Amino acid sequence: MGSLFRSEEMALCQLFLQSEAAYACVSELGELGLVQFRDLNPDVNAFQRKFVNEVRRCDEMERKLRYLEKEIKKDGIPMLDTGESPEAPQPREMIDLEATFEKLENELREVNQNAEALKRNFLELTELKHILRKTQVFFDEMADNQNEDEQAQLLGEEGARASQPGQNLKLGFVAGVILRERLPAFERMLWRACRGNVFLRQAMIETPLEDPTNGDQVHKSVFIIFFQGDQLKTRVKKICEGFRATLYPCPEAPADRREMAMGVMTRIEDLNTVLGQTQDHRHRVLVAAAKNLKNWFVKVRKIKAIYHTLNLFNLDVTQKCLIAECWVPLLDIETIQLALRRGTERSGSSVPPILNRMQTFENPPTYNRTNKFTKAFQALIDAYGVASYREMNPAPYTIITFPFLFAVMFGDLGHGAIMALFGLWMIRKEKGLAAQKTDNEIWNIFFGGRYIIFLMGVFSMYTGLIYNDIFSKSLNIFGSHWHMSYNKSTVLENKYLQLNPKGDYEGDPYPFGMDPIWQVAGANKIIFHNAYKMKISIIFGVIHMIFGVVMSWHNHTYFRNRISMLYEFIPQLVFLLLLFFYMVLLMFIKWIKFAATNAKPYSEACAPSILITFIDMVLFNTPKAPPQDCETYMFFGQHFIQVLFVLVAVGCIPVMLLAKPLLIMQARKQANEEVQPIAGATSDAETGGVSNGGSHGGGGGPHEEEEELSEIFIHQSIHTIEYVLGSVSHTASYLRLWALSLAHAQLAEVLWTMVLSIGLKQEGWLGGIILTCVFAFWAILTVGILVLMEGLSAFLHTLRLHWVEFQSKFYKGQGYAFQPFSFDAIIENGAASAEAE
């Protein structure tokens, strides 16, 4: 089988590169993205490797670029992104890049420091301007109220008695600004610390001021404090310092204050001019950097990734050659060799690189080639577990089975069309949408699964046609094959009226899907749909599980695991066929032989219950006596066949449980008697030879060679019990197809009946307005509940059916993913550097 159904065949290779050509060759391999390097220095500290200095230089360049990016985003300057990926620069170009980044960083830091100093100066002058304005008002008030009573209030009662009439007291003062939120606490502290011997006046600054450190807008207030004596002055200044209030000099004389205010205004105007020029220069520097920032990031990340990879290599004894080990896809070895030749030519080296394939028994990584269509389906499989090497890949089959099982639960022509159109829109606009690169995780999930969404919508439209269900209504395309033998009034007045299949049914089924008359049925609509959807759920489930067991046969044959093929696959398949596939056959026999139009013993009244029949079969019960003129069994020899099937199915259980461990034990015993290596004898007895190229995978042979016999018996017991009990529970689990399909149809009918039908019954121009509002509400509920929520529920149930019921039959998922050295992956993930390990 091709790589679509199994992972790529991998080879472990040894690579020899000349030191001067190593950088260019690794660069070419990074552009190719098909080589996974192994770390040949696992015990060497990251700081002791050969190219640690180059990595540090790249870290420093990345730091400078992140600083530039932060400043560019702060100013809201768009960064040019052409979508192109420049080649990795040559090592000698690192010096030019470092010099460019150093110059830009220093220039930008200098501009920022100058701008911050200018803004701080501007803030101080602005605060001083407000102080001079506000304090002038305070001094004017003080000049009008110089009397002895106010002095007594200021200095206290004892000071008022000591002052002589007509004596003027000399008051000191300080003025400044403080954050508005600190003012109440500041005022209380002054009152308590100075015991009420100070006089505080304050006024708010109406316009917010810009903090020069972080650019935030802050609200401040001007204050002036009057006091007497040096002791209070010292105390007041300490309190101001503690509350981080800024004090400014304020002259006492009005003329000096006016002169200072004029000087402050002149300096503010000059600062505004200089600040504007500084901001223009800063903007020009950032705009020039924004044009190249994306390309610079790509170049630096590529350089760093190359040196990280070179740190995984070994040096030979001559110190002139680098040795690497890597996993490569076998089909791409020639492509890799061409890339190595290109790298050698670019470096000017005359010695060609050497790529040797090595023999190994180590499990290779799993590499499944995907494209934009199969990538999402492969991601669903890998989320369960990465396939073991060369194990059957369920992804190609999931492309069909996943949307189909989803559609069985979500079947509605209208809802499926909404989902399909949404997926189709994302597919048509995928280039533009992919270029937008958003951090919205929900949107990224939707966009990544656009092909899954589209297929789920298309399949849901198909099953909606089968169910003849569109927004809980039916399409009467071909005309109903039932005819009404009653008059209109009789039908409208009798709620429980039933049609007689013998007289009202034409005999031929509706050409495609459900007959539309079932949509208007009342009492037995749900009963009919229940019976139909329950049976098809079991049918699809059993076929799906049988297909999973058949897939295990491909694994056993590929890995030449003869014991597992004979004593696991065959008993498992027989067990499933004789019990559950037989139950499916009984359903078809019942559909074919029994009908309402047939006479006894094949009339509808004589049709047996499949569930009761299956229970009686397993428990060896004698069926109950059928109604008069009806037969006990559906076909001749049914009882004998059922007993035989159950006995054979039960007999398969000890075969699955004991045969494989006993044969392994016998093989080991023979090997000991012949004095041969235990591992070799067990391998021959279990796998029948060496698997493809010595590779190990899903067969399980080499793993079982290392296990103790007790562990093999325990594991086999667990697997057998899990399969036998799982066959029953997994079959019942597929009934979720019926349950969710029924729930979806009933929710759609409830929305139509209780929401939209209200608007449809209105008449006149007012009815049109009501219908518009009701339709909008119905559309929101339909998309939000029936498409999004029900769609998510059906998606998760479908995922469970594939992971548990289907893949458990053949898929081990014990491998590890192939992670090649790829520049595209590093840049796409936005990684700051390629991981060393």
Side-chain angles (χ1 to χ4, degrees):
M1 289 189 179
S3 61
L4 181 65
F5 301 99
R6 294 189 186 276
S7 61
E8 288 283 340
E9 193 169 353
M10 308 295 291
L12 181 63
C13 296
Q14 195 172 36
L15 178 62
F16 296 87
L17 297 172
Q18 287 295 312
S19 297
E20 61 272 14
Y23 182 94
C25 289
V26 172
S27 173
E28 290 291 335
L29 294 178
E31 298 289 352
L32 196 61
L34 289 172
V35 178
Q36 176 179 326
F37 291 99
R38 303 173 66 188
D39 190 0
L40 300 183
N41 308 296
D43 299 326
V44 179
N45 190 286
F47 300 101
Q48 297 175 343
R49 303 203 178 198
K50 180 176 176 58
F51 299 99
V52 64
N53 291 330
E54 286 79 1
V55 173
R56 286 175 176 171
R57 290 166 62 188
C58 292
D59 286 335
E60 182 64 16
M61 286 192 288
E62 273 195 309
R63 183 194 63 77
K64 294 173 181 177
L65 288 176
R66 286 195 296 271
Y67 172 71
L68 290 174
E69 184 181 31
K70 177 184 174 183
E71 295 296 321
I72 289 170
K73 288 182 177 179
K74 187 187 297 183
D75 279 22
I77 300 172
M79 289 178 283
L80 181 64
D81 187 4
T82 60
E84 299 177 356
S85 179
E87 292 185 354
Q90 295 297 321
R92 57 180 176 272
E93 295 181 35
M94 281 183 66
I95 301 174
D96 298 334
L97 289 174
E98 285 176 316
T100 302
F101 301 158
E102 183 74 19
K103 179 183 176 182
L104 281 173
E105 184 191 29
N106 291 338
E107 184 176 5
L108 193 56
R109 287 191 182 278
E110 184 179 356
V111 170
N112 286 343
Q113 289 173 0
N114 293 337
E116 186 176 344
L118 290 171
K119 287 181 179 179
R120 188 175 288 108
N121 198 357
F122 180 79
L123 176 65
E124 292 173 355
L125 291 174
T126 305
E127 292 177 347
L128 182 55
K129 177 187 72 173
H130 286 289
I131 286 175
L132 293 173
R133 286 181 181 177
K134 302 293 183 182
T135 54
Q136 183 62 41
V137 178
F138 299 155
F139 281 115
D140 291 343
E141 294 176 356
M142 290 295 294
D144 297 337
N145 298 291
Q146 291 292 332
N147 53 57
E148 187 174 348
D149 293 337
E150 290 181 1
Q151 291 181 8
Q153 181 181 2
L154 174 67
L155 299 175
E157 194 174 329
E158 294 180 3
R161 288 199 208 86
S163 63
Q164 298 298 324
Q167 181 181 0
N168 293 325
L169 295 177
K170 183 68 175 177
L171 297 178
F173 69 90
V174 292
V177 294
I178 189 172
L179 288 174
R180 195 175 297 172
E181 60 266 21
R182 295 179 183 171
L183 190 59
F186 177 64
E187 189 172 357
R188 287 195 300 270
M189 180 59 72
L190 279 173
W191 179 264
R192 293 171 182 172
C194 300
R195 300 181 181 179
N197 291 320
V198 294
F199 181 62
L200 171 69
R201 293 296 304 273
Q202 56 91 12
M204 292 188 298
I205 301 175
E206 291 78 8
T207 57
L209 305 176
E210 182 182 352
D211 189 338
T213 305
N214 51 29
D216 293 340
Q217 298 292 318
V218 293
H219 297 272
K220 294 189 176 183
S221 294
V222 173
F223 66 85
I224 184 168
I225 306 172
F226 294 94
F227 51 83
Q228 184 184 27
D230 293 338
Q231 187 176 3
L232 282 178
K233 180 179 180 180
T234 303
R235 194 174 298 176
V236 167
K237 285 189 174 181
K238 286 184 177 180
I239 293 173
C240 292
E241 182 180 352
F243 280 86
R244 296 183 182 178
T246 308
L247 300 179
Y248 291 95
C250 183
E252 295 184 13
D256 293 340
R257 287 197 294 271
R258 284 193 295 271
E259 183 180 355
M260 178 179 282
M262 293 176 61
V264 167
M265 294 301 297
T266 304
R267 292 175 62 188
I268 286 176
E269 292 177 1
D270 295 340
L271 270 177
N272 271 326
T273 304
V274 178
L275 264 174
Q277 294 174 351
T278 303
Q279 292 294 343
D280 289 342
H281 176 64
R282 180 176 184 274
H283 187 76
R284 287 194 298 270
V285 172
L286 292 177
V287 167
K291 293 179 181 178
N292 300 309
L293 190 67
K294 294 289 185 182
N295 285 343
W296 285 340
F297 262 122
V298 172
K299 289 181 178 179
V300 172
R301 286 171 181 170
K302 284 186 176 183
I303 297 172
K304 186 177 179 181
I306 291 171
Y307 283 118
H308 262 305
T309 304
L310 290 174
N311 276 334
L312 305 178
F313 295 5
N314 261 341
L315 278 171
D316 71 337
V317 291
T318 63
Q319 300 288 315
K320 294 181 180 180
C321 179
L322 289 171
I323 305 172
E325 290 183 4
C326 54
W327 291 106
V328 300
L330 198 59
L331 296 177
D332 294 316
I333 288 183
E334 291 186 5
T335 307
I336 293 169
Q337 289 174 338
L338 288 175
L340 291 172
R341 291 195 196 102
R342 288 197 302 270
T344 305
E345 293 171 359
R346 280 179 52 193
S347 65
S349 174
S350 58
V351 180
I354 301 173
L355 186 68
N356 291 331
R357 185 176 177 185
M358 303 170 61
Q359 294 295 326
T360 179
F361 286 96
E362 183 180 348
N363 283 333
T366 300
Y367 175 43
N368 293 298
R369 291 187 195 270
T370 58
N371 51 37
K372 62 183 181 181
F373 175 71
T374 59
K375 183 178 180 181
F377 292 97
Q378 189 65 55
L380 290 178
I381 304 302
D382 292 342
Y384 175 80
V386 178
S388 303
Y389 178 65
R390 300 295 285 168
E391 186 179 23
M392 284 296 293
N393 183 18
Y397 313 101
T398 303
I399 294 174
I400 300 299
T401 60
F402 191 92
F404 178 74
L405 291 182
F406 171 88
V408 172
M409 294 181 275
F410 195 75
D412 188 290
L413 182 60
H415 302 153
I418 294 173
M419 185 173 289
L421 288 174
F422 176 59
L424 183 62
W425 173 76
M426 289 191 291
I427 292 171
R428 293 292 301 273
K429 303 287 184 182
E430 64 181 9
K431 290 186 178 179
L433 294 174
Q436 291 179 2
K437 292 182 180 179
T438 176
D439 293 333
N440 190 318
E441 187 175 355
I442 296 177
W443 166 254
N444 289 334
I445 292 173
F446 276 118
F447 182 70
R450 57 193 179 278
Y451 290 97
I452 298 179
I453 293 173
F454 174 70
L455 284 181
M456 290 192 305
V458 171
F459 276 71
S460 296
M461 292 172 65
Y462 168 75
T463 54
L465 286 172
I466 294 294
Y467 297 156
N468 205 347
D469 199 352
I470 173 170
F471 298 121
S472 80
K473 296 301 174 185
S474 290
L475 297 174
N476 193 0
I477 301 175
F478 304 103
S480 175
H481 284 214
W482 290 76
H483 297 290
M484 197 75 66
S485 59
Y486 305 98
N487 57 44
K488 184 177 181 180
S489 60
T490 305
V491 174
L492 294 177
E493 293 173 2
N494 291 272
K495 182 177 179 181
Y496 297 101
L497 186 68
Q498 294 187 0
L499 298 180
N500 186 357
K502 294 183 178 180
D504 299 324
Y505 181 56
E506 292 183 356
D508 297 326
Y510 192 72
F512 186 82
M514 289 274 192
D515 194 297
I517 200 170
W518 285 107
Q519 193 59 242
V520 297
N524 60 346
K525 172 186 175 182
I526 294 181
I527 297 174
F528 175 76
H529 283 178
N530 266 354
Y532 168 72
K533 293 181 178 180
M534 189 185 299
K535 287 182 174 63
I536 64 169
S537 298
I538 296 297
I539 292 170
F540 291 148
V542 171
I543 293 174
H544 201 211
M545 290 191 295
I546 291 174
F547 180 58
V549 175
V550 172
M551 294 283 284
S552 68
W553 173 77
H554 290 285
N555 279 334
H556 299 325
T557 54
Y558 179 82
F559 293 109
R560 302 176 186 176
N561 197 338
R562 187 168 173 269
I563 290 181
S564 294
M565 189 188 308
L566 293 176
Y567 302 105
E568 281 187 355
F569 163 71
I570 292 178
Q572 287 177 356
L573 185 62
V574 170
F575 182 85
L576 203 58
L577 289 175
L578 296 187
L579 292 182
F580 299 99
F581 187 71
Y582 172 73
M583 180 174 62
V584 170
L585 291 179
L586 290 181
M587 295 178 188
F588 282 98
I589 294 172
K590 180 178 177 179
W591 282 340
I592 294 171
K593 295 189 66 173
F594 297 91
T597 56
N598 293 347
K600 290 185 178 183
Y602 301 116
S603 66
E604 182 183 9
C606 294
S609 169
I610 300 298
L611 179 61
I612 299 300
T613 301
F614 185 74
I615 293 174
D616 290 339
M617 166 186 169
V618 175
L619 299 180
F620 298 104
N621 289 340
T622 302
K624 293 181 180 180
Q628 188 176 4
D629 298 330
C630 295
E631 295 182 355
T632 305
Y633 298 101
M634 287 189 282
F635 58 90
F636 177 75
Q638 179 180 352
H639 179 70
F640 172 75
I641 291 175
Q642 289 180 171
V643 172
L644 178 64
F645 281 2
V646 173
L647 292 176
V648 174
V650 172
C652 290
I653 297 176
V655 176
M656 289 186 282
L657 180 65
L658 301 173
K660 185 175 177 179
L662 290 176
L663 287 173
I664 294 175
M665 182 175 64
Q666 182 182 1
R668 290 186 180 182
K669 183 178 180 181
Q670 292 177 356
N672 288 332
E673 292 174 354
E674 297 172 4
V675 197
Q676 291 181 352
I678 297 178
T682 312
S683 175
D684 291 339
E686 188 169 354
T687 63
V690 181
S691 62
N692 246 6
S695 61
H696 302 326
H703 176 64
E704 285 161 359
E705 293 173 19
E706 303 169 0
E707 290 183 332
E708 297 289 338
L709 284 174
S710 59
E711 292 182 359
I712 294 176
F713 273 100
I714 292 172
H715 290 168
Q716 194 66 24
S717 301
I718 293 173
H719 293 160
T720 302
I721 295 171
E722 180 184 10
Y723 181 82
V724 173
L725 298 181
S727 298
V728 180
S729 63
H730 291 176
T731 303
S733 180
Y734 279 93
L735 289 174
R736 70 186 69 235
L737 298 174
W738 152 65
L740 267 76
S741 175
L742 186 65
H744 186 81
Q746 291 302 307
L747 277 175
E749 187 171 350
V750 166
L751 279 185
W752 183 283
T753 305
M754 305 197 61
V755 180
L756 190 58
S757 63
I758 297 175
L760 293 173
K761 294 175 182 178
Q762 307 301 319
E763 298 180 356
W765 64 269
L766 182 60
I769 297 174
I770 295 175
L771 177 59
T772 302
C773 299
V774 169
F775 176 79
F777 183 60
W778 173 81
I780 292 172
L781 292 179
T782 296
V783 174
I785 297 178
L786 293 180
V787 177
L788 286 178
M789 294 178 62
E790 281 283 307
L792 178 61
S793 174
F795 178 89
L796 294 177
H797 282 284
T798 308
L799 193 62
R800 181 244 153 78
L801 289 177
H802 280 78
W803 280 359
V804 179
E805 278 73 22
F806 174 58
Q807 291 177 196
S808 63
K809 303 294 185 293
F810 68 96
Y811 187 74
K812 293 188 176 180
Q814 296 175 349
Y816 63 100
F818 177 60
Q819 296 177 335
F821 170 61
S822 171
F823 288 146
D824 289 340
I826 294 170
I827 297 169
E828 182 182 354
N829 296 334
S833 62
E835 293 295 332
E837 297 179 1

